[in-house]
């Protein structure tokens, strides 16, 4: 009898997710359209990690990543709230990296690269994305919808950083060369950045696809017989964008109010003239920035 050291494919054959093709994963009867493991990951990240800095550029422990990978490959895809965000983002990257074929496929690589030079890159990308196999397209939709949500909660540079991190993971030629790497890397970043920023305009081909993708992020009722959430209308792209902006602004206002409270406490507790002057300068600077367009403010 062969052991795993003699034939590593035996170990691969036991794996449910990592290192397997999407076709192999979706052949299992319990999988429908989007792999259950990815639904679990996307849902957890969207619920718990939108405010985490460097979510995909910082690394989790190699040991923890291996243990979580083994657990997923045995069919346990549950994720509790105590698990580290960088570990969950790491397992997502690991899954995508280990796919035998990149998510955006070898076949469409040249077409995607050509999109970067097209005058209407959004329309050309939409045309190309629709050529992806259904599971690839739906997973891409979940990924870029999440990255879009993440960017809305982070600094302006986040989209560029995400495009760099995921570029070579999602788009690579069948045969890589130094020339293709140097020539195509800037174009890949442009493509990924556009897919993140223009998700709603590019990926869902119809309302049903949008519903399937957004379903990965919606909370399930604790009572299986309770269908009240089924009647909640989905937000349009404009409404979702408005909601994300409002959430971001609301969080920023709370941060400003909290910092002003801290400065007020500092002012009340200090007995130093120099510290009082310094606090006054900071308050005046904040006032000038916050009310620079309101001339009536004294």
């Amino acid at each position: 009898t062969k052991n795993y050291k003699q034939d590593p494919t035996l170990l691969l054959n036991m794996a449910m997710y990592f290192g397997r093709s999407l076709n192999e994963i979706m052949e299992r009867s319990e999988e429908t359209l989007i792999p259950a493991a990815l639904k679990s990951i996307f849902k957890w990240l969207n619920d718990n990690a939108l405010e985490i800095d460097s979510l995909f550029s910082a690394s989790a422990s190699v040991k923890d990543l291996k243990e979580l990978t083994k657990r997923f490959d045995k069919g346990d895809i549950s994720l509790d709230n105590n698990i580290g965000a960088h570990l969950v983002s790491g397992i997502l990257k690991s899954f995508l990296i280990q796919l035998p074929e990149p998510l955006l496929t070898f076949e469409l690589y040249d077409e995607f690269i050509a999109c970067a030079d097209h005058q209407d890159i959004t329309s050309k990308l939409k045309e190309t994305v629709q050529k992806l196999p259904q599971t690839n397209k739906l997973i891409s939709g979940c990924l870029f919808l999440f990255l879009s949500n993440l960017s809305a909660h982070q600094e302006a540079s986040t989209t560029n950083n995400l495009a760099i991190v995921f570029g070579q993971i999602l788009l690579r030629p069948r045969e890589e060369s130094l020339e293709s790497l140097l020539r195509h890397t800037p174009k890949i970043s442009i493509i990924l950045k556009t897919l993140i920023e223009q998700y709603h305009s590019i990926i869902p081909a119809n309302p049903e696809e949008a519903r399937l993708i957004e379903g990965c992020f919606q909370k399930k009722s604790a009572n299986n017989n309770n269908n009240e959430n089924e009647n909640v209308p989905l937000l349009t792209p404009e409404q979702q964008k408005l909601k994300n902006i409002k959430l971001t602004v609301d969080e920023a206002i709370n941060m400003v109010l909290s910092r002003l409270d801290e400065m007020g406490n500092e002012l009340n507790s200090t007995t130093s003239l120099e510290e009082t002057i310094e606090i006054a300068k900071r308050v005046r600077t904040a006032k000038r920035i916050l009310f620079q367009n309101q001339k009536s403010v004294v």
Side-chain angles (χ1 to χ4, degrees), residues 47-101:
D47 286 349
N48 300 281
L50 293 178
E51 305 294 337
I52 303 297
D53 292 331
S54 305
L55 181 62
F56 288 103
S57 54
S59 300
S61 157
V62 174
K63 178 183 176 183
D64 291 343
L65 194 58
K66 285 183 177 179
E67 290 178 355
L68 186 58
T69 299
K70 288 180 181 178
R71 184 155 66 79
F72 266 55
D73 270 338
K74 289 178 181 178
D76 181 359
I77 58 173
S78 60
L79 294 167
D80 60 46
N81 291 333
N82 296 321
I83 196 169
H86 291 106
L87 180 55
V88 182
S89 65
I91 203 75
L92 174 59
K93 283 200 300 182
S94 182
F95 174 86
L96 294 171
I97 289 170
Q98 291 187 49
L99 285 174
E101 181 173 8

Side-chain angles (χ1 to χ4, degrees), residues 262-277:
E262 292 176 8
M263 292 170 68
N265 292 333
E266 290 176 21
L267 184 63
N268 291 331
S269 62
T270 186
T271 57
S272 165
L273 177 60
E274 290 182 357
E275 289 182 2
T276 301
I277 293 173

Side-chain angles (χ1 to χ4, degrees), residues 221-235:
S221 172
N223 181 355
N224 290 333
N225 295 322
N226 184 356
N227 296 321
E228 61 182 24
N229 288 334
E230 292 182 3
N231 297 320
V232 177
L234 293 173
L235 297 180

Side-chain angles (χ1 to χ4, degrees), residues 167-181:
Q168 298 301 320
I169 296 175
L170 302 179
L171 260 181
R172 66 179 189 273
R174 196 180 301 274
E175 295 183 8
E176 295 183 274
S177 66
L178 180 59
E179 181 183 3
S180 67
L181 183 65

Side-chain angles (χ1 to χ4, degrees), residues 256-268 270 274-292 297-298:
V256 170
L257 292 175
S258 176
R259 184 64 188 120
L260 288 174
D261 284 341
E262 292 176 8
M263 292 170 68
N265 292 333
E266 290 176 21
L267 184 63
N268 291 331
T270 186
E274 290 182 357
E275 289 182 2
T276 301
I277 293 173
E278 179 60 29
I279 293 171
K281 287 180 180 178
R282 282 150 52 195
V283 170
R284 282 198 298 270
T285 299
K287 179 180 177 182
R288 185 172 64 252
I289 294 171
L290 288 171
F291 301 110
Q292 59 185 346
V297 175
V298 178

